[in-house]
Amino acid sequence: MRDMRDDPTTDEQLADHPAAEIETVVVDPDDVVDALERTHESSTPLRTHVLRLVPPFEEEVRAEPHVQEGPRRNSPEREPEPIHLEPATFVRNETGVHPDETHLRHPTREQARTVARDEHGDDVDHAVVTTYYEDACEEWERRVRESLLERVRIYFEHRDGDEIWTDIRYESVGD
């Protein structure tokens, strides 16, 4: 992967942006999984679940869970603005390079119901569907954890093309 910090063609605006100092983002893998689950369950165009990098940006910065309600409103005095990373940013996408996307879709109860009916017939009860759904969620979480990336692309300045590649260190908050 190309690292914009080492690219001699990087323009001065990028080099001068405080986020260009970031070398490592520290994130709790539980926060990635939780944010992906919450995105599946309750995100709307005006409510998103992200992992947030808050200035001042240093060589190492921690990504914290954050719920963005409504349009982003940062104080005009706050420069630079915090950087919001979609939780899928941290998960490998086997369908190609698509920032902020992953092929690992959270299972649904409807999918669990379909599988349960295929295996047990049309008269499956709620408990059987719930078991299938819980098993599918556990498998999804295992696959997400196995697909966590070691380097990610971070955009800043509202995706005007300025980006950096940075290392990721997964560390539980309790560690």
Side-chain angles (χ1 to χ4, degrees), residues 135-174:
D135 289 348
C137 288
E138 287 176 13
E139 175 63 16
W140 170 83
E141 182 177 337
R142 183 191 64 74
R143 291 180 65 208
V144 166
R145 290 178 184 278
E146 289 175 352
S147 298
L148 294 174
L149 296 167
E150 295 178 10
R151 289 181 60 76
V152 300
R153 179 185 304 167
I154 297 176
Y155 292 99
F156 45 90
E157 298 301 328
H158 304 290
R159 296 186 184 244
D160 64 0
D162 289 343
E163 65 182 33
I164 59 170
W165 283 93
T166 186
D167 293 330
I168 302 299
R169 187 174 76 236
Y170 296 97
E171 183 178 280
S172 294
V173 173

Short mmCIF file of all heavy atoms in Angstrom, two decimals, residues 135-174:
data_model
loop_
_atom_site.label_atom_id
_atom_site.label_comp_id
_atom_site.label_asym_id
_atom_site.label_seq_id
_atom_site.Cartn_x
_atom_site.Cartn_y
_atom_site.Cartn_z
N ASP A 135 -26.34 -17.61 16.45
CA ASP A 135 -25.19 -18.33 15.87
C ASP A 135 -24.61 -17.55 14.69
O ASP A 135 -23.38 -17.45 14.54
CB ASP A 135 -25.60 -19.73 15.43
CG ASP A 135 -25.88 -20.67 16.60
OD1 ASP A 135 -25.55 -20.32 17.75
OD2 ASP A 135 -26.45 -21.76 16.35
N ALA A 136 -25.48 -17.01 13.85
CA ALA A 136 -25.02 -16.24 12.69
C ALA A 136 -24.29 -14.97 13.14
O ALA A 136 -23.26 -14.59 12.55
CB ALA A 136 -26.19 -15.88 11.78
N CYS A 137 -24.77 -14.33 14.20
CA CYS A 137 -24.11 -13.12 14.73
C CYS A 137 -22.73 -13.46 15.29
O CYS A 137 -21.77 -12.71 15.09
CB CYS A 137 -24.98 -12.45 15.79
SG CYS A 137 -26.44 -11.64 15.11
N GLU A 138 -22.62 -14.58 15.99
CA GLU A 138 -21.32 -15.01 16.51
C GLU A 138 -20.33 -15.29 15.38
O GLU A 138 -19.16 -14.91 15.46
CB GLU A 138 -21.47 -16.24 17.40
CG GLU A 138 -22.10 -15.95 18.74
CD GLU A 138 -22.33 -17.20 19.57
OE1 GLU A 138 -21.77 -18.28 19.23
OE2 GLU A 138 -23.08 -17.12 20.57
N GLU A 139 -20.80 -15.95 14.34
CA GLU A 139 -19.94 -16.24 13.17
C GLU A 139 -19.53 -14.94 12.49
O GLU A 139 -18.38 -14.77 12.10
CB GLU A 139 -20.66 -17.16 12.19
CG GLU A 139 -19.91 -17.41 10.89
CD GLU A 139 -18.58 -18.12 11.08
OE1 GLU A 139 -18.31 -18.69 12.15
OE2 GLU A 139 -17.77 -18.10 10.11
N TRP A 140 -20.45 -13.99 12.34
CA TRP A 140 -20.15 -12.70 11.73
C TRP A 140 -19.08 -11.98 12.55
O TRP A 140 -18.10 -11.47 12.00
CB TRP A 140 -21.43 -11.85 11.65
CG TRP A 140 -21.18 -10.44 11.26
CD1 TRP A 140 -21.03 -9.94 10.00
CD2 TRP A 140 -21.05 -9.33 12.14
NE1 TRP A 140 -20.81 -8.59 10.05
CE2 TRP A 140 -20.82 -8.19 11.36
CE3 TRP A 140 -21.12 -9.19 13.53
CZ2 TRP A 140 -20.65 -6.92 11.91
CZ3 TRP A 140 -20.93 -7.93 14.08
CH2 TRP A 140 -20.71 -6.82 13.27
N GLU A 141 -19.24 -11.95 13.87
CA GLU A 141 -18.26 -11.27 14.73
C GLU A 141 -16.88 -11.93 14.61
O GLU A 141 -15.86 -11.24 14.52
CB GLU A 141 -18.70 -11.28 16.19
CG GLU A 141 -17.73 -10.56 17.09
CD GLU A 141 -18.16 -10.49 18.54
OE1 GLU A 141 -19.37 -10.60 18.82
OE2 GLU A 141 -17.27 -10.30 19.39
N ARG A 142 -16.84 -13.25 14.56
CA ARG A 142 -15.56 -13.96 14.41
C ARG A 142 -14.90 -13.56 13.10
O ARG A 142 -13.71 -13.24 13.06
CB ARG A 142 -15.78 -15.48 14.46
CG ARG A 142 -14.49 -16.29 14.37
CD ARG A 142 -14.76 -17.77 14.15
NE ARG A 142 -15.41 -18.05 12.89
CZ ARG A 142 -14.82 -18.01 11.69
NH1 ARG A 142 -13.56 -17.67 11.58
NH2 ARG A 142 -15.49 -18.31 10.59
N ARG A 143 -15.67 -13.51 12.02
CA ARG A 143 -15.13 -13.15 10.71
C ARG A 143 -14.65 -11.70 10.68
O ARG A 143 -13.63 -11.39 10.07
CB ARG A 143 -16.17 -13.41 9.63
CG ARG A 143 -16.42 -14.91 9.44
CD ARG A 143 -17.43 -15.22 8.38
NE ARG A 143 -16.92 -14.80 7.08
CZ ARG A 143 -17.69 -14.43 6.07
NH1 ARG A 143 -18.99 -14.42 6.19
NH2 ARG A 143 -17.15 -14.06 4.93
N VAL A 144 -15.39 -10.80 11.35
CA VAL A 144 -14.95 -9.40 11.42
C VAL A 144 -13.60 -9.32 12.12
O VAL A 144 -12.66 -8.69 11.62
CB VAL A 144 -16.00 -8.52 12.15
CG1 VAL A 144 -15.40 -7.16 12.52
CG2 VAL A 144 -17.24 -8.33 11.29
N ARG A 145 -13.48 -9.97 13.26
CA ARG A 145 -12.22 -9.91 14.02
C ARG A 145 -11.06 -10.50 13.22
O ARG A 145 -9.94 -10.01 13.30
CB ARG A 145 -12.38 -10.62 15.35
CG ARG A 145 -13.27 -9.85 16.31
CD ARG A 145 -13.47 -10.59 17.63
NE ARG A 145 -14.39 -9.91 18.49
CZ ARG A 145 -14.10 -8.89 19.29
NH1 ARG A 145 -12.86 -8.43 19.31
NH2 ARG A 145 -15.01 -8.32 20.03
N GLU A 146 -11.33 -11.55 12.44
CA GLU A 146 -10.28 -12.14 11.60
C GLU A 146 -9.91 -11.25 10.42
O GLU A 146 -8.86 -11.43 9.82
CB GLU A 146 -10.73 -13.50 11.07
CG GLU A 146 -10.79 -14.57 12.13
CD GLU A 146 -11.36 -15.88 11.60
OE1 GLU A 146 -11.85 -15.93 10.45
OE2 GLU A 146 -11.32 -16.87 12.36
N SER A 147 -10.77 -10.30 10.08
CA SER A 147 -10.57 -9.45 8.90
C SER A 147 -10.07 -8.04 9.24
O SER A 147 -10.04 -7.18 8.37
CB SER A 147 -11.88 -9.34 8.11
OG SER A 147 -12.28 -10.61 7.65
N LEU A 148 -9.69 -7.81 10.49
CA LEU A 148 -9.21 -6.49 10.86
C LEU A 148 -7.90 -6.17 10.14
O LEU A 148 -7.00 -7.01 10.06
CB LEU A 148 -9.04 -6.37 12.37
CG LEU A 148 -10.34 -6.45 13.18
CD1 LEU A 148 -10.04 -6.47 14.67
CD2 LEU A 148 -11.28 -5.31 12.82
N LEU A 149 -7.82 -4.97 9.62
CA LEU A 149 -6.67 -4.53 8.83
C LEU A 149 -5.53 -4.02 9.70
O LEU A 149 -5.76 -3.51 10.80
CB LEU A 149 -7.10 -3.42 7.87
CG LEU A 149 -8.12 -3.82 6.81
CD1 LEU A 149 -8.71 -2.58 6.14
CD2 LEU A 149 -7.47 -4.73 5.79
N GLU A 150 -4.32 -4.09 9.16
CA GLU A 150 -3.15 -3.57 9.85
C GLU A 150 -2.83 -2.13 9.46
O GLU A 150 -2.12 -1.44 10.17
CB GLU A 150 -1.94 -4.46 9.58
CG GLU A 150 -2.10 -5.85 10.14
CD GLU A 150 -0.92 -6.75 9.81
OE1 GLU A 150 0.11 -6.25 9.30
OE2 GLU A 150 -1.03 -7.95 10.06
N ARG A 151 -3.34 -1.71 8.30
CA ARG A 151 -3.16 -0.33 7.82
C ARG A 151 -4.47 0.13 7.21
O ARG A 151 -5.17 -0.67 6.58
CB ARG A 151 -2.06 -0.24 6.75
CG ARG A 151 -0.68 -0.45 7.31
CD ARG A 151 0.42 -0.34 6.27
NE ARG A 151 0.52 0.93 5.59
CZ ARG A 151 1.02 2.06 6.09
NH1 ARG A 151 1.44 2.08 7.32
NH2 ARG A 151 1.11 3.14 5.37
N VAL A 152 -4.81 1.39 7.41
CA VAL A 152 -6.02 1.94 6.83
C VAL A 152 -5.75 3.31 6.23
O VAL A 152 -4.77 3.97 6.56
CB VAL A 152 -7.18 2.06 7.86
CG1 VAL A 152 -7.54 0.70 8.43
CG2 VAL A 152 -6.87 3.06 8.95
N ARG A 153 -6.66 3.70 5.37
CA ARG A 153 -6.63 5.02 4.74
C ARG A 153 -7.50 5.96 5.58
O ARG A 153 -8.62 5.64 5.92
CB ARG A 153 -7.20 4.92 3.33
CG ARG A 153 -7.24 6.24 2.61
CD ARG A 153 -7.93 6.09 1.27
NE ARG A 153 -7.28 5.06 0.48
CZ ARG A 153 -7.79 4.54 -0.63
NH1 ARG A 153 -8.96 4.92 -1.06
NH2 ARG A 153 -7.15 3.61 -1.30
N ILE A 154 -6.94 7.11 5.89
CA ILE A 154 -7.68 8.12 6.63
C ILE A 154 -7.81 9.35 5.74
O ILE A 154 -6.82 9.90 5.27
CB ILE A 154 -6.97 8.51 7.93
CG1 ILE A 154 -6.88 7.32 8.87
CG2 ILE A 154 -7.69 9.68 8.60
CD1 ILE A 154 -6.12 7.59 10.14
N TYR A 155 -9.04 9.74 5.50
CA TYR A 155 -9.32 10.97 4.76
C TYR A 155 -9.49 12.11 5.75
O TYR A 155 -10.02 11.91 6.84
CB TYR A 155 -10.63 10.85 3.97
CG TYR A 155 -10.60 9.87 2.85
CD1 TYR A 155 -11.13 8.60 3.01
CD2 TYR A 155 -10.06 10.22 1.62
CE1 TYR A 155 -11.12 7.70 1.97
CE2 TYR A 155 -10.05 9.33 0.58
CZ TYR A 155 -10.58 8.07 0.76
OH TYR A 155 -10.56 7.18 -0.28
N PHE A 156 -9.11 13.29 5.34
CA PHE A 156 -9.44 14.47 6.12
C PHE A 156 -9.79 15.59 5.16
O PHE A 156 -9.68 15.45 3.95
CB PHE A 156 -8.33 14.87 7.10
CG PHE A 156 -6.95 14.85 6.54
CD1 PHE A 156 -6.40 15.98 5.95
CD2 PHE A 156 -6.18 13.70 6.61
CE1 PHE A 156 -5.11 15.96 5.46
CE2 PHE A 156 -4.89 13.67 6.10
CZ PHE A 156 -4.36 14.81 5.53
N GLU A 157 -10.26 16.67 5.71
CA GLU A 157 -10.72 17.80 4.89
C GLU A 157 -11.88 17.38 3.99
O GLU A 157 -11.89 17.63 2.80
CB GLU A 157 -9.58 18.39 4.06
CG GLU A 157 -8.45 18.96 4.87
CD GLU A 157 -8.88 20.08 5.80
OE1 GLU A 157 -9.80 20.84 5.48
OE2 GLU A 157 -8.27 20.17 6.87
N HIS A 158 -12.86 16.69 4.56
CA HIS A 158 -14.11 16.32 3.87
C HIS A 158 -13.87 15.61 2.55
O HIS A 158 -14.49 15.91 1.55
CB HIS A 158 -15.00 17.54 3.68
CG HIS A 158 -15.30 18.22 4.96
ND1 HIS A 158 -16.12 17.67 5.91
CD2 HIS A 158 -14.87 19.40 5.47
CE1 HIS A 158 -16.18 18.49 6.95
NE2 HIS A 158 -15.45 19.55 6.70
N ARG A 159 -12.95 14.69 2.55
CA ARG A 159 -12.69 13.83 1.39
C ARG A 159 -12.39 14.60 0.12
O ARG A 159 -12.83 14.25 -0.96
CB ARG A 159 -13.88 12.89 1.15
CG ARG A 159 -14.07 11.94 2.27
CD ARG A 159 -15.15 10.96 1.89
NE ARG A 159 -15.39 10.12 3.01
CZ ARG A 159 -15.16 8.82 3.01
NH1 ARG A 159 -14.74 8.22 1.96
NH2 ARG A 159 -15.40 8.13 4.07
N ASP A 160 -11.62 15.66 0.25
CA ASP A 160 -11.25 16.42 -0.94
C ASP A 160 -10.04 15.80 -1.63
O ASP A 160 -9.44 16.40 -2.50
CB ASP A 160 -10.98 17.88 -0.60
CG ASP A 160 -9.81 18.06 0.34
OD1 ASP A 160 -9.20 17.04 0.73
OD2 ASP A 160 -9.49 19.21 0.68
N GLY A 161 -9.71 14.59 -1.23
CA GLY A 161 -8.59 13.91 -1.84
C GLY A 161 -7.40 13.79 -0.91
O GLY A 161 -6.49 13.03 -1.16
N ASP A 162 -7.38 14.57 0.17
CA ASP A 162 -6.27 14.48 1.11
C ASP A 162 -6.46 13.25 1.98
O ASP A 162 -7.52 13.04 2.57
CB ASP A 162 -6.22 15.73 2.00
CG ASP A 162 -5.76 16.95 1.23
OD1 ASP A 162 -5.18 16.78 0.14
OD2 ASP A 162 -5.99 18.06 1.72
N GLU A 163 -5.41 12.44 2.04
CA GLU A 163 -5.49 11.19 2.80
C GLU A 163 -4.11 10.80 3.25
O GLU A 163 -3.10 11.28 2.73
CB GLU A 163 -6.07 10.08 1.92
CG GLU A 163 -5.18 9.74 0.76
CD GLU A 163 -5.75 8.68 -0.16
OE1 GLU A 163 -6.98 8.62 -0.32
OE2 GLU A 163 -4.96 7.91 -0.71
N ILE A 164 -4.08 9.92 4.25
CA ILE A 164 -2.84 9.28 4.68
C ILE A 164 -3.15 7.81 4.91
O ILE A 164 -4.30 7.43 5.13
CB ILE A 164 -2.27 9.89 5.99
CG1 ILE A 164 -3.28 9.77 7.14
CG2 ILE A 164 -1.83 11.32 5.76
CD1 ILE A 164 -2.72 10.13 8.50
N TRP A 165 -2.14 7.00 4.81
CA TRP A 165 -2.23 5.60 5.23
C TRP A 165 -1.55 5.53 6.58
O TRP A 165 -0.49 6.12 6.79
CB TRP A 165 -1.52 4.69 4.23
CG TRP A 165 -2.30 4.45 3.00
CD1 TRP A 165 -2.23 5.14 1.83
CD2 TRP A 165 -3.31 3.45 2.82
NE1 TRP A 165 -3.13 4.64 0.94
CE2 TRP A 165 -3.80 3.60 1.50
CE3 TRP A 165 -3.84 2.46 3.63
CZ2 TRP A 165 -4.80 2.78 0.99
CZ3 TRP A 165 -4.83 1.64 3.12
CH2 TRP A 165 -5.29 1.80 1.81
N THR A 166 -2.16 4.83 7.52
CA THR A 166 -1.59 4.75 8.85
C THR A 166 -1.71 3.32 9.40
O THR A 166 -2.59 2.58 9.00
CB THR A 166 -2.26 5.78 9.79
OG1 THR A 166 -1.60 5.77 11.04
CG2 THR A 166 -3.72 5.46 9.98
N ASP A 167 -0.80 2.99 10.29
CA ASP A 167 -0.83 1.68 10.94
C ASP A 167 -1.94 1.65 11.98
O ASP A 167 -2.29 2.68 12.56
CB ASP A 167 0.50 1.40 11.64
CG ASP A 167 1.65 1.24 10.67
OD1 ASP A 167 1.43 0.80 9.53
OD2 ASP A 167 2.79 1.59 11.07
N ILE A 168 -2.45 0.45 12.23
CA ILE A 168 -3.47 0.27 13.24
C ILE A 168 -2.95 -0.71 14.28
O ILE A 168 -2.34 -1.73 13.95
CB ILE A 168 -4.77 -0.34 12.62
CG1 ILE A 168 -5.30 0.56 11.52
CG2 ILE A 168 -5.82 -0.55 13.71
CD1 ILE A 168 -5.67 1.96 11.95
N ARG A 169 -3.15 -0.36 15.54
CA ARG A 169 -2.83 -1.27 16.64
C ARG A 169 -4.13 -1.52 17.39
O ARG A 169 -4.80 -0.59 17.84
CB ARG A 169 -1.77 -0.68 17.56
CG ARG A 169 -1.32 -1.71 18.60
CD ARG A 169 -0.16 -1.23 19.45
NE ARG A 169 -0.62 -0.28 20.44
CZ ARG A 169 -0.16 0.95 20.59
NH1 ARG A 169 0.79 1.42 19.79
NH2 ARG A 169 -0.62 1.73 21.53
N TYR A 170 -4.48 -2.79 17.51
CA TYR A 170 -5.70 -3.17 18.22
C TYR A 170 -5.35 -3.46 19.66
O TYR A 170 -4.49 -4.29 19.94
CB TYR A 170 -6.36 -4.38 17.53
CG TYR A 170 -6.79 -4.03 16.15
CD1 TYR A 170 -6.00 -4.32 15.05
CD2 TYR A 170 -7.98 -3.33 15.93
CE1 TYR A 170 -6.38 -3.97 13.76
CE2 TYR A 170 -8.37 -2.97 14.65
CZ TYR A 170 -7.56 -3.29 13.58
OH TYR A 170 -7.96 -2.92 12.32
N GLU A 171 -6.04 -2.75 20.53
CA GLU A 171 -5.74 -2.85 21.94
C GLU A 171 -7.04 -2.61 22.71
O GLU A 171 -7.67 -1.56 22.56
CB GLU A 171 -4.71 -1.76 22.27
CG GLU A 171 -4.20 -1.71 23.65
CD GLU A 171 -3.15 -0.61 23.78
OE1 GLU A 171 -2.00 -0.85 23.38
OE2 GLU A 171 -3.51 0.47 24.25
N SER A 172 -7.42 -3.57 23.52
CA SER A 172 -8.62 -3.41 24.32
C SER A 172 -8.41 -2.30 25.34
O SER A 172 -7.29 -2.13 25.84
CB SER A 172 -8.98 -4.70 25.04
OG SER A 172 -9.33 -5.69 24.08
N VAL A 173 -9.45 -1.58 25.64
CA VAL A 173 -9.35 -0.47 26.58
C VAL A 173 -8.85 -0.96 27.93
O VAL A 173 -8.07 -0.29 28.59
CB VAL A 173 -10.70 0.26 26.71
CG1 VAL A 173 -10.65 1.32 27.81
CG2 VAL A 173 -11.08 0.91 25.39
N GLY A 174 -9.25 -2.15 28.33
CA GLY A 174 -8.83 -2.70 29.61
C GLY A 174 -7.41 -3.21 29.64
O GLY A 174 -6.89 -3.56 30.69
#
